[in-house]
Amino acid sequence: MPSPGDFQGPGAFERLLGWLRETDDSALQALWACADQVRREHVGDEVHLRGLVELSNHCVRGCTYCGIRAARGQLERYRMAHDEVLECAREARARGYGSMVLQAGEDDGLARDDITSLIRLIKAETDLAVTLSLGERDEQDWAAWREAGADRYLLRFETSDEQLFRRIHPPLGRRGGDRVGMLRRLRALGYEIGSGVMVGIPGQTWESLARDILLFAELDLDMIGVGPFLPHPDTPLGKAVRPQEPTQVPNTEHVVYRVVALARLVCPDANIPSTTALATVNKASGRQLGLARGANVVMPNLTPARYRSKYEIYPDKACTNETADAGHQALVAQLAAMGRRKGTGAGGRRRRAVLPE
Ligand code: 5AD
């Protein structure tokens, strides 16, 4: 049976590598059981629901994996008005969610002051925690938004392999993409920080994925989001032929569960979502399996139906066509069937008190 202590100190990297490549079913059952137990001990049976609002699909970047990249000419672009976002915040409250996530492409049309006033409006009307996921921005933007009341910031580092990162995320002027440095600055500003990776990016090796997991621990992440890379046909990476080398990590749900379970073991009290990308590769049970193997958060999509299909970072995204209400009912039933319950409160990270030796 693995234990969290296996992934600290000498030998941690090799053990992570071993588990990432593990395919033996009975060994994996032990990994799932351990991740589930550590999840229960550290963050309990509550599943925190975060209402996701995809504010804008404008983006200045050219990430080679992403369906809303700037160069994708044929995509109709939108930017939500403040009252539309407030309507989503009310819906989140009405359903008993503790927080909402405002996500967008890296959209320079979302001015610092616009977001500042949006955060203030949400905070004036609700007690929701506000998480931002707006990409690489100036430090002054982040400072102003924090000052306005934003609680958390999500910025996936996508891969700890710097060369691979530059390949999939071409630098843009002086925005060089030092996401690890940015996460540290966000934390210094007082945000809870979330990050994570895609699993199975062409060119991603098992070794780099093991280093990704060590970096989760080193950054002491408050939130960790992991999903499979899903090729989008209108992107360079979606058209590329997939490398066949044995070093290439496959973009399957199976590897994602291993990363979720290992993330739980290296960061026992982090908030870990069972992601939409995971629910997309296995529509029947991806979400439940993520929750059973270490995850404790779900991010139901509250984006109004008229915009949802346009936020197409990858194709065939789960829940794109269901109404928010039907999705919510199904989710609550699913949690009950698993013996889990909807979280109460904002669902921030509760650090385990460090006991004196
Ligand atoms: N497949 C899987 N995940 C993707 N993301 C963006 N494009 C894709 C894709 N094609 C993920 C990235 C990003 C998050 C918002 O969505 O990890 O950080």
Side-chain angles (χ1 to χ4, degrees), residues 272-287:
I272 301 181
S274 185
T275 56
T276 305
L278 189 51
T280 299
V281 277
N282 179 349
K283 293 211 167 60
S285 50
R287 186 159 71 190

Side-chain angles (χ1 to χ4, degrees), residues 108-153:
D108 288 339
L110 294 174
R112 180 189 304 161
D113 294 348
D114 281 341
I115 299 295
T116 304
S117 60
L118 180 58
I119 295 164
R120 290 220 167 92
L121 287 167
I122 295 168
K123 289 283 179 175
E125 198 178 311
T126 73
D127 55 358
L128 292 167
V130 172
T131 303
L132 303 177
S133 177
L134 303 174
E136 301 175 16
R137 302 278 304 215
D138 283 346
E139 185 138 2
Q140 291 97 311
D141 294 348
W142 289 334
W145 299 339
R146 174 84 190 117
E147 173 90 22
D151 302 275
R152 309 174 188 152
Y153 205 94

Side-chain angles (χ1 to χ4, degrees), residues 25-340:
D25 197 53
S26 63
L28 288 172
Q29 293 305 327
L31 178 63
W32 311 147
C34 178
D36 197 42
Q37 187 187 329
V38 169
R39 187 270 307 155
R40 190 176 310 113
E41 283 169 12
H42 286 258
V43 295
D45 285 332
E46 291 196 336
V47 173
H48 299 290
L49 306 185
R50 328 284 201 199
L52 176 65
V53 181
E54 296 154 332
L55 271 191
S56 157
N57 69 348
H58 289 264
C59 191
V60 296
R61 313 270 339 191
C63 303
T64 55
Y65 51 86
C66 182
I68 64 168
R69 64 203 302 271
R72 197 163 160 233
Q74 64 274 55
L75 182 68
E76 202 184 311
R77 305 283 172 165
Y78 72 89
R79 196 174 286 126
M80 287 174 64
H82 284 189
D83 56 347
E84 293 176 311
V85 182
L86 277 175
E87 202 45 56
C88 297
R90 288 179 201 122
E91 197 162 328
R93 269 334 274 145
R95 297 225 193 107
Y97 298 174
S99 65
M100 76 190 298
V101 181
L102 305 179
Q103 186 174 91
E106 216 164 283
D107 177 8
D108 288 339
L110 294 174
R112 180 189 304 161
D113 294 348
D114 281 341
I115 299 295
T116 304
S117 60
L118 180 58
I119 295 164
R120 290 220 167 92
L121 287 167
I122 295 168
K123 289 283 179 175
E125 198 178 311
T126 73
D127 55 358
L128 292 167
V130 172
T131 303
L132 303 177
S133 177
L134 303 174
E136 301 175 16
R137 302 278 304 215
D138 283 346
E139 185 138 2
Q140 291 97 311
D141 294 348
W142 289 334
W145 299 339
R146 174 84 190 117
E147 173 90 22
D151 302 275
R152 309 174 188 152
Y153 205 94
L154 300 178
L155 185 67
R156 289 191 181 176
F157 60 76
E158 315 291 3
T159 170
S160 59
D161 174 340
E162 287 177 25
Q163 263 185 21
L164 177 60
F165 183 72
R166 273 196 299 278
R167 269 211 309 282
I168 65 172
H169 178 84
L172 191 72
R174 65 186 177 83
R175 291 155 125 165
D178 170 21
R179 292 196 168 184
V180 172
M182 293 180 200
L183 286 162
R184 293 205 162 99
R185 288 200 285 285
L186 286 159
R187 168 157 288 154
L189 287 167
Y191 285 98
E192 278 192 35
I193 56 169
S195 193
V197 297
M198 285 179 288
V199 169
I201 312 163
Q204 185 181 49
T205 63
W206 294 105
E207 284 77 10
S208 80
L209 191 53
R211 278 191 289 272
D212 296 346
I213 297 172
L214 289 177
L215 186 54
F216 296 163
E218 187 188 324
L219 289 169
D220 186 26
L221 294 176
D222 303 301
M223 302 166 286
I224 304 169
V226 177
F229 160 67
L230 297 166
H232 190 300
D234 296 334
T235 62
L237 271 190
K239 291 198 185 93
V241 181
R242 285 192 64 73
Q244 297 298 309
E245 293 88 49
T247 52
Q248 170 65 47
V249 174
N251 62 335
T252 60
E253 60 179 308
H254 310 290
V255 187
V256 175
Y257 299 133
R258 289 175 232 156
V259 178
V260 167
L262 293 167
R264 172 60 65 204
L265 300 188
V266 301
C267 294
D269 57 11
N271 283 315
I272 301 181
S274 185
T275 56
T276 305
L278 189 51
T280 299
V281 277
N282 179 349
K283 293 211 167 60
S285 50
R287 186 159 71 190
Q288 292 98 305
L289 287 172
L291 288 170
R293 297 170 176 181
N296 71 320
V297 168
V298 173
M299 294 165 61
N301 197 330
L302 290 180
T303 309
R306 58 190 173 283
Y307 300 127
R308 226 184 263 198
S309 61
K310 301 191 173 82
Y311 199 82
E312 196 194 41
I313 50 183
Y314 49 79
D316 197 25
K317 212 159 108 197
C319 309
T320 302
N321 297 317
E322 73 184 7
T323 65
D325 221 39
H328 181 65
Q329 297 311 329
L331 174 59
V332 171
Q334 209 173 70
L335 294 182
M338 296 181 71
R340 307 279 280 273

